[in-house]
Amino acid sequence: MSAWPGKYVIGLTGNIATGKSVVRRMLEHLGAYGIDADALAHRAITKDAPGYTQVIEAFGKWILDGDGQINRKKLAKVVFTDKQAMFILENIVHPLVVQAVNILVRRSKHKVVVIEAIKLLESQLKEACDVIWVTCAPLEVQLSRLMQFKGMSETNAQRRIGAQSAQEEKVAAADIVIRNDGSIEDTWNQVLTA
């Protein structure tokens, strides 16, 4: 039973470029209320948001753009090459994301909620979900997607993938695994079946 009475909560995770957002949108199409924890994390550190000052205090004003916003690319260069920096950032952002998710789930009028979170299994959100779904794709597919759709160099794409826990660990923790390396129809059929 989820932490939210009257709701069936799907925790959706998977490594970068494995199709989490595609699967979340499919579930939304089927009537679920979708929450993108990554988008909430980005909002948590925007100017005047709760995590903004903490991030600047932790990493310095050099990460700011000319308009005073945190430049996520500058911040990413630090946290994706330094595990301690990532740990610091996550300790600032994760509690804010969990708080926001809790509010959104409670306010939702939907019976089924899907929480898409790349760090779901490493957070307290895991225990609040009724079921864990994991998307996965082969490394070469992840690299191709990051280079093609995000404009990353192969080196940067490999760095991003390497900064995450092993895909096999997530798959081992899953109740449902969506293998997202075929056609969109194949992914849709897996979602419908699940």
Side-chain angles (χ1 to χ4, degrees):
M1 185 170 139
S2 82
W4 300 283
K7 310 283 186 192
Y8 183 78
V9 180
I10 299 169
L12 174 62
T13 193
N15 282 2
I16 192 168
T18 60
K20 293 180 302 301
S21 296
V22 169
V23 170
R24 176 179 45 84
R25 286 191 294 272
M26 288 177 175
L27 289 166
E28 288 170 349
H29 181 74
L30 292 168
Y33 177 71
I35 298 173
D36 181 349
D38 193 38
L40 294 175
H42 294 165
R43 287 187 202 132
I45 63 171
T46 58
K47 200 170 183 180
D48 298 324
Y52 178 81
T53 302
Q54 294 175 66
V55 171
I56 293 168
E57 288 172 357
F59 297 98
K61 291 186 177 185
W62 70 273
I63 62 170
L64 297 178
D65 277 339
D67 63 356
Q69 288 287 355
I70 293 171
N71 182 316
R72 291 194 356 247
K73 286 185 179 181
K74 288 181 182 178
L75 185 58
K77 284 182 183 177
V78 175
V79 299
F80 286 109
T81 58
D82 180 340
K83 289 184 181 194
Q84 182 61 27
M86 179 65 83
F87 179 78
I88 291 167
L89 180 63
E90 288 175 349
N91 279 334
I92 294 168
V93 175
H94 284 187
L96 299 171
V97 170
V98 170
Q99 181 182 26
V101 165
N102 188 40
I103 291 167
L104 291 170
V105 172
R106 283 190 287 115
R107 288 183 180 171
S108 169
K109 301 202 182 325
H110 295 71
K111 296 283 186 208
V112 177
V113 177
V114 56
I115 302 169
E116 175 193 345
I118 199 160
K119 294 278 191 161
L120 179 79
L121 299 177
E122 297 87 351
S123 77
Q124 67 189 61
L125 286 174
K126 175 188 176 193
E127 303 308 319
C129 296
D130 292 294
V131 64
I132 302 297
W133 287 30
V134 172
T135 57
C136 65
L139 176 61
E140 61 273 10
V141 172
Q142 290 177 273
L143 286 170
S144 174
R145 288 174 179 167
L146 289 172
M147 291 163 52
Q148 181 180 358
F149 301 119
K150 299 284 187 180
M152 289 185 189
S153 68
E154 186 172 352
T155 301
N156 282 340
Q158 287 176 333
R159 185 179 299 131
R160 287 286 180 102
I161 292 168
Q164 299 177 342
S165 60
Q167 222 174 160
E168 297 77 27
E169 292 174 19
K170 287 181 172 73
V171 168
D175 298 302
I176 302 288
V177 176
I178 305 293
R179 301 199 182 282
N180 191 14
D181 58 350
S183 69
I184 197 78
E185 291 80 13
D186 181 50
T187 303
W188 174 251
N189 287 332
Q190 291 178 70
V191 169
L192 282 177
T193 299

